[in-house]
Amino acid sequence: MASAAMNRYWIPHLDIHKKVITQELQYYLGPDATVRPYTRDGEDGFLIQTPGPCLTDEQIDDICLKSKEMWEKQAAARSQLNPEKPLKRPLHQPVLISKGPGEGSKRRGKDRRGGHISRRPYDDKKGSEASRK
């Protein structure tokens, strides 16, 4: 038996939580529907594959509302971890991806050859050379 032709749709990720759309998609579009993150023309979103039509405007709105609830629950859970410091924008808490070299870098105060960099102005160097002659 040949598989049914799949329609592919892209929707922007704006106001849509990945976990919510993943959970809700098959409820709305049936068991053959799939969703995955997808970038189209430099804009992040979701690629939906389904044998039928895509999500309706009302279904997308419902997913956006459920996504907002999910983010609010996550923000409340994070604030419970550190209740004495409430965040002004709980959804925009920075997440450390990588850490650069520490404050006390070993190269500070050294030139490329390993010698110490002089802190005297350039004119002072010229003056001291002229006085040696």
Side-chain angles (χ1 to χ4, degrees):
M1 183 170 129
S3 64
M6 298 292 272
N7 297 316
R8 295 171 48 160
Y9 303 94
W10 177 87
I11 59 171
H13 79 290
L14 187 65
D15 296 332
I16 297 176
H17 193 287
K18 180 182 175 185
K19 191 172 186 177
V20 172
I21 194 168
T22 302
Q23 290 174 344
E24 297 292 318
L25 188 74
Q26 291 183 339
Y27 171 75
Y28 291 123
L29 301 180
D32 295 333
T34 61
V35 63
R36 68 179 180 92
Y38 188 81
T39 302
R40 179 180 165 264
D41 298 330
E43 186 176 358
D44 292 333
F46 298 99
L47 181 67
I48 297 171
Q49 289 186 295
T50 179
C54 195
L55 296 165
T56 65
D57 199 37
E58 291 80 17
Q59 292 168 335
I60 293 172
D61 189 49
D62 189 44
I63 289 171
C64 289
L65 290 173
K66 289 179 181 181
S67 295
K68 184 179 178 186
E69 291 171 6
M70 172 78 76
W71 282 313
E72 288 171 354
K73 286 179 187 176
Q74 290 175 341
R78 279 194 300 266
S79 68
Q80 293 298 322
L81 296 174
N82 194 0
E84 65 274 355
K85 185 183 174 195
L87 299 172
K88 291 180 183 176
R89 296 192 171 267
L91 299 179
H92 294 89
Q93 182 176 7
V95 176
L96 180 66
I97 301 300
S98 66
K99 194 168 186 175
E103 289 286 321
S105 175
K106 292 180 181 179
R107 292 185 54 103
R108 182 178 284 161
K110 303 235 179 204
D111 68 7
R112 289 186 181 157
R113 290 171 268 135
H116 190 71
I117 298 173
S118 173
R119 297 190 187 271
R120 287 186 292 165
Y122 184 71
D123 290 355
D124 288 351
K125 289 180 186 178
K126 286 173 82 175
S128 63
E129 288 176 16
S131 63
R132 286 188 222 162
K133 290 183 182 179

